[in-house]
């Protein structure tokens, strides 16, 4: 095997690697950011795609985030790949936080005051075991309202940040290419050449 370890990892090493990777937890996020920055589309298209993916990640429509992101990106003339990649904002770590935040914001906007605080596990239990008619008023309606507000805010922020980052990245890349091309075409003087 080409990329196999020379020495097989021990059981404690594998457990430690599972909970604390050697390359760190930020490596996948850095890779994703670089992948988005290197897309060949315009800064607006990439930023619109990221905004669409970010907005869809805030909706309670689990399993349909990518489809919603692609539809929104298409309507906004955004990059579809950027939209699909940006849906990773909703991942197993962030989904409980997003769900509770959208639920609380939706309750606040609608003026619903629940007697006791609902935890993320209780919220997911209700989503799993109640039927749609039972879910709409107490759970889905507040979550959709909260998702609209929080998702729109996060989408606008991600649009601005992504557009600036893509524009800066492409300008730096263009400057490097010009510099390399200028050095490649510059005349090479030998030690015997005389300059005036």
């Amino acid at each position: 095997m080409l990329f196999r370890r020379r020495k097989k990892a021990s059981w404690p090493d594998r457990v430690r690697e599972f909970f604390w990777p050697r390359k760190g937890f930020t490596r996948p996020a850095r890779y994703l950011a670089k992948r988005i920055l290197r897309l060949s589309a315009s800064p607006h298209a990439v930023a619109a795609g990221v905004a669409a993916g970010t907005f869809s990640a805030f909706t309670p429509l689990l399993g349909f985030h990518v489809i919603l992101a692609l539809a929104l990106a298409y309507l906004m003339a955004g990059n579809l790949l950027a939209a699909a990649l940006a849906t990773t904002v909703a991942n197993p770590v962030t989904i409980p936080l997003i769900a509770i935040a959208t639920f609380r914001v939706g309750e606040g906007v609608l003026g619903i005051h629940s007697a006791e605080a609902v935890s993320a596990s209780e919220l997911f239990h209700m989503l799993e075991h109640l039927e749609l008619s039972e879910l709409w008023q107490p759970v889905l309606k507040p979550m959709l309202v909260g998702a609209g507000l929080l998702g729109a805010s996060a989408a606008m922020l991600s649009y601005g940040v992504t557009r600036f980052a893509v524009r800066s990245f492409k300008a730096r890349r263009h400057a490097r290419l010009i510099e390399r091309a200028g050095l490649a075409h510059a005349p090479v003087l030998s030690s015997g050449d005389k300059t005036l």
Side-chain angles (χ1 to χ4, degrees):
M1 234 339 137
L2 183 62
F3 296 109
R4 182 181 288 171
R5 291 174 171 256
R6 289 183 183 174
K7 182 182 173 189
K8 190 173 179 180
S10 66
W11 186 81
D13 287 341
R14 282 187 271 166
V15 170
R16 185 199 55 77
E17 181 75 20
F18 178 77
F19 288 107
W20 195 267
R22 279 184 295 163
K23 303 282 183 175
F25 291 107
T26 61
R27 185 174 190 218
R30 285 189 316 232
Y31 172 78
L32 193 64
K34 287 183 180 183
R35 180 70 183 102
I36 289 172
L37 287 175
R38 290 181 179 145
L39 291 173
S40 62
S42 70
H44 164 74
V46 174
V50 170
T54 303
F55 178 81
S56 72
F58 276 80
T59 63
L61 308 172
L62 298 175
F64 297 100
H65 287 163
V66 173
I67 295 168
L68 179 61
L70 293 176
L72 290 173
Y74 180 78
L75 292 174
M76 296 176 2
N79 186 284
L80 300 180
L81 182 58
L85 290 172
T87 59
T88 59
V89 167
N91 56 58
V93 174
T94 60
I95 283 177
L97 302 173
I98 290 171
I100 287 294
T102 56
F103 183 68
R104 291 285 174 231
V105 169
E107 278 186 331
V109 169
L110 295 173
I112 300 169
H113 301 290
S114 54
E116 54 189 58
V118 177
S119 68
S121 61
E122 293 170 339
L123 187 61
F124 287 116
H125 180 75
M126 285 191 287
L127 286 171
E128 186 177 342
H129 294 292
L130 295 178
E131 292 188 21
L132 186 61
S133 60
E134 300 169 327
L135 272 177
W136 175 250
Q137 191 64 28
V139 178
L140 286 180
K141 187 176 178 183
M143 285 183 81
L144 285 171
V145 170
L149 290 172
L150 291 178
S153 303
M156 286 189 286
L157 179 66
S158 66
Y159 178 86
V161 169
T162 305
R163 187 173 177 137
F164 176 77
V166 170
R167 190 180 296 154
S168 302
F169 178 79
K170 290 189 180 203
R172 284 195 312 270
R173 178 192 264 177
H174 185 68
R176 269 196 316 266
L177 290 174
I178 288 177
E179 182 182 321
R180 285 182 190 162
L183 291 176
H185 297 298
V188 178
L189 297 176
S190 65
S191 58
D193 292 340
K194 294 188 178 181
T195 57
L196 297 173

